[in-house]
């Protein structure tokens, strides 16, 4: 959103995804100057109200990350908004173990489902952390997450991998900023 908070929205149908993109993402992106934040003109509260119109699962990624994307601090100041969140990412392979443990503890204290993600910025990171389920359909898988009938497996990548990723992200953004 406009206030730098990331949301992962998983739609139960392609039709809803296309509709959401057409009406609320396309033509609503804020141009970035320098680092790519991929922000929209909507504030987080507005986005959460918009996605309520759709059958979807809303996940907070990397909640205990650096400013300005620290959703842990953001939502603790706006507790009424957390009811719109279905799950919290508890294992993000690019985040520190300490931050992941904060995310897991927060999710558990709220009774929220926990997900895992590689946050892959490079191909070798894909699959370092994943959310697993036994359902054979997208809707069944999303329902499993919502009802906490899934597993999360994975771990953080090593320090060298984190530095390499940070460097590549910075380098890509620097090149785009100077083009």
């Amino acid at each position: 959103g406009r206030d730098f908070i990331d949301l992962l929205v998983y739609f139960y149908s392609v039709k809803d995804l296309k509709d959401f993109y057409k009406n609320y993402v396309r033509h609503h992106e804020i141009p970035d100057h320098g680092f790519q934040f991929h922000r929209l003109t909507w504030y987080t509260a507005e986005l959460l109200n918009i996605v309520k119109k759709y059958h979807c699962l809303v996940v907070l990624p990397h909640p205990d990350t650096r400013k300005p994307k620290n959703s842990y601090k953001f939502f603790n100041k706006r507790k009424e908004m957390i009811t719109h969140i279905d799950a919290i990412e508890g294992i993000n392979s690019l985040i520190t173990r300490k931050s992941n443990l904060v995310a897991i503890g927060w999710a558990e204290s709220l009774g929220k489902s926990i997900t895992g993600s590689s946050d892959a910025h490079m191909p070798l990171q894909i699959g370092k952390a994943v959310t697993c389920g036994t359902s054979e359909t997208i809707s069944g898988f999303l329902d499993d997450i919502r009802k906490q009938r899934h597993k999360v497996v994975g771990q953080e990548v090593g320090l060298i991998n984190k530095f390499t990723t940070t460097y590549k992200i910075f380098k890509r953004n620097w090149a785009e900023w100077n083009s």
Side-chain angles (χ1 to χ4, degrees):
R2 184 177 199 90
D3 38 22
F4 292 98
I5 299 303
D6 290 339
L7 299 173
L8 301 177
V9 182
Y10 298 100
F11 293 90
Y12 280 72
S13 75
V14 174
K15 178 184 171 287
D16 280 353
L17 170 63
K18 287 180 177 181
D19 185 79
F20 177 76
Y21 178 79
K22 180 179 137 200
N23 292 306
Y24 302 106
V25 176
R26 188 176 59 181
H27 309 301
H28 293 282
E29 293 180 276
I30 297 173
D32 288 313
H33 303 288
F35 197 84
Q36 293 179 336
F37 285 108
H38 302 289
R39 293 182 302 146
L40 300 174
T41 56
W42 314 103
Y43 287 97
T44 300
E46 293 172 305
L47 278 171
L48 289 171
N49 283 322
I50 290 168
V51 298
K52 281 195 306 189
K53 300 174 187 177
Y54 297 93
H55 191 39
C56 61
L57 183 84
V58 181
V59 179
L60 280 180
H62 48 69
D64 190 43
T65 192
R66 293 184 248 23
K67 288 183 179 182
K69 293 182 172 253
N70 188 308
S71 58
Y72 176 70
K73 290 180 181 174
F74 179 87
F75 279 94
N76 274 324
K77 292 178 183 174
R78 299 159 183 86
K79 293 185 187 291
E80 72 285 352
M81 289 172 52
I82 200 70
T83 60
H84 302 294
I85 303 301
D86 300 303
I88 294 174
E89 186 181 66
I91 300 179
N92 179 309
S93 69
L94 286 181
I95 302 297
T96 65
R97 167 98 17 122
K98 180 182 173 192
S99 290
N100 281 334
L101 290 173
V102 167
I104 290 168
W106 187 42
E108 288 175 345
S109 75
L110 295 170
K112 299 289 183 184
S113 191
I114 297 169
T115 63
S117 164
S118 301
D119 203 350
H121 289 265
M122 297 175 7
L124 75 103
Q125 296 165 339
I126 295 172
K128 296 292 184 190
V130 296
T131 304
C132 307
T134 58
S135 294
E136 296 182 15
T137 64
I138 292 169
S139 60
F141 179 68
L142 296 177
D143 284 343
D144 285 350
I145 295 170
R146 187 182 305 278
K147 295 173 184 174
Q148 299 185 18
R149 297 185 311 224
H150 67 294
K151 300 284 184 216
V152 176
V153 295
Q155 64 183 29
E156 300 82 8
V157 297
L159 202 54
I160 292 172
N161 198 317
K162 287 180 190 199
F163 282 133
T164 303
T165 301
T166 302
Y167 171 74
K168 287 188 177 198
I169 293 169
F170 179 77
K171 184 178 171 185
R172 180 192 67 218
N173 284 293
W174 182 262
E176 288 179 17
W177 186 60
N178 286 306
S179 61

